[in-house]
């Protein structure tokens, strides 16, 4: 693991992310007993929708920006809209994917999303804040870890070099309406997920978790302990 704080994520990290996603979906298939429907929130390049489609799921991608959406096979749906809006309905899907976008929402938006999705299997792949006193690789974009409305986390400044208009139009990987997002510590996010009705969450921790500050939270309401389904096989 390269612990140079300025280093970019490696190819291995991206491959590992795809592998963990694939394993998470296999796990969800075990929980549901079938391959079902899913929505890929903040889909961006739609690679995860396409992987899910290739694995036999009925995928719908959603993003507030269209610039990175490739030509998609007809079976993959696309919704052009905001996660925070009523343009999509969690009840229409068996599984919710929230990959690389939860950390672009502010605390209110995150709580509204969790409230809407209560009880649904959801896979969240998100950045996390390190506990107080531990260094972060995100420099001044990520503030000090503190307590906000009962959660521990840090404020993340979205594309600080862009104003609101420019961020919306050109910050293709960034948040949309909110200039600041909320990154919780891992323990705090687990607690929030429990409070919103997911008693069973397994996480995948990358090697050097403190460095990558990112993990998967695979959330469902069914206790899989002892079934051989929990955990990951890579
Ligand atoms: C970092 S990219 C993640 C892309 C992909 N899901 C991944 O994990 O690689 C974040 C994506 O979320 C989208 N996004 C950010 N805020 C959004 C919102 N409020 N509603 C819908 N999409 C949003 C951005 O347009 C961008 O495509």
């Amino acid at each position: 693991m390269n612990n140079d704080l300025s280093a970019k994520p490696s190819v291995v990290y991206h491959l590992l992310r795809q592998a963990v996603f694939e394993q998470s979906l296999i796990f969800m298939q075990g929980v549901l007993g079938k391959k079902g429907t899913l929505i890929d929130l903040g889909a961006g390049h739609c690679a995860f929708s396409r992987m899910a489609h290739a694995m036999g799921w009925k995928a719908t991608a959603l993003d507030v920006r269209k610039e990175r959406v490739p030509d998609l096979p007809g079976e993959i749906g696309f919704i052009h809209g905001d996660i925070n809006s009523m343009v999509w309905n969690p009840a229409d899907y068996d599984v919710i994917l929230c990959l690389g976008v939860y950390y672009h929402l502010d605390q209110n938006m995150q709580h509204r999303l969790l409230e809407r999705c209560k009880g649904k299997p959801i896979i969240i792949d998100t950045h996390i804040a390190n506990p107080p006193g531990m260094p972060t690789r995100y420099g001044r974009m990520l503030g000090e870890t503190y307590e906000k409305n009962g959660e521990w986390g840090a404020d993340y400044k979205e594309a600080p070099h862009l104003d609101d208009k420019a961020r919306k139009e050109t910050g293709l990987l960034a948040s949309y309406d909110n200039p600041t997002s909320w990154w919780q510590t891992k323990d705090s996010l687990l607690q929030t997920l429990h409070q919103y009705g997911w008693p069973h969450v397994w996480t995948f921790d990358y090697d050097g978790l403190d460095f990558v500050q990112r993990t998967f939270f695979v959330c469902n309401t069914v206790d899989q302990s002892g079934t051989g389904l929990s955990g990951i096989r890579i």
Side-chain angles (χ1 to χ4, degrees):
M1 171 58 63
N2 179 356
N3 279 332
D4 170 4
L5 290 184
S6 64
K8 286 200 168 147
S10 68
V11 172
V12 171
Y13 162 81
H14 289 297
L15 285 175
L16 196 50
R17 200 171 158 236
Q18 290 172 15
V20 176
F21 167 68
E22 190 180 355
Q23 289 290 320
S24 303
L25 214 48
I26 291 170
F27 173 81
M28 285 301 186
Q29 184 186 338
V31 170
L32 293 172
K34 63 172 186 178
K35 294 172 184 180
T37 54
L38 59 80
I39 185 157
D40 179 12
L41 302 174
H45 43 64
C46 299
F48 293 107
S49 293
R50 287 181 287 170
M51 279 178 71
H53 170 64
M55 290 168 71
W57 290 70
K58 171 76 187 120
T60 301
L62 176 148
D63 206 291
V64 73
R65 300 182 178 92
K66 286 203 284 198
E67 285 84 343
R68 296 203 301 156
V69 179
D71 279 340
L72 294 170
E75 300 88 350
I76 300 181
F78 180 75
I79 299 175
H80 183 205
D82 196 308
I83 290 173
N84 304 300
S85 74
M86 294 298 143
V87 70
W88 68 286
N89 181 357
D92 294 340
Y93 307 95
D94 296 312
V95 172
I96 314 293
L97 303 183
C98 191
L99 311 172
V101 70
Y102 193 79
Y103 62 85
H104 288 305
L105 304 176
D106 66 24
Q107 192 185 45
N108 277 334
M109 293 169 176
Q110 291 174 351
H111 289 176
R112 283 209 308 274
L113 176 67
L114 298 181
E115 183 65 38
R116 288 177 75 187
C117 294
K118 237 177 191 170
K120 277 268 163 199
I122 180 167
I123 303 174
I124 300 175
D125 156 41
T126 191
H127 277 299
I128 50 177
N130 281 342
M134 193 181 282
T136 168
R137 70 182 291 255
Y138 289 92
R140 274 177 290 169
M141 287 171 80
L142 194 62
E144 294 287 318
T145 303
Y146 69 105
E147 190 176 351
K148 175 152 80 174
N149 301 319
E151 294 179 341
W152 280 90
D155 294 314
Y156 176 74
K157 283 191 198 124
E158 295 274 351
H161 53 295
L162 302 175
D163 63 22
D164 283 352
K165 185 169 180 291
R167 188 190 62 250
K168 284 184 182 184
E169 289 171 2
T170 63
L172 301 184
L173 304 185
S175 65
Y176 198 66
D177 276 326
N178 47 311
T180 305
S181 304
W182 177 238
W183 291 18
Q184 272 177 269
T185 63
K186 183 184 169 196
D187 285 348
S188 179
L189 179 51
L190 276 171
Q191 202 179 342
T192 299
L193 293 170
H194 292 164
Q195 281 163 2
Y196 276 88
W198 289 281
H200 306 289
V201 179
W202 64 259
T203 62
F204 173 78
D205 295 344
Y206 296 92
D207 185 23
L209 178 66
D210 298 345
F211 174 70
V212 292
Q213 291 188 230
R214 186 167 191 141
T215 186
F216 270 73
F217 297 81
V218 182
C219 317
N220 68 82
T221 55
V222 183
D223 184 3
Q224 298 297 311
S225 52
T227 63
L229 276 172
S230 55
I232 190 152
R233 295 190 298 277
I234 54 175

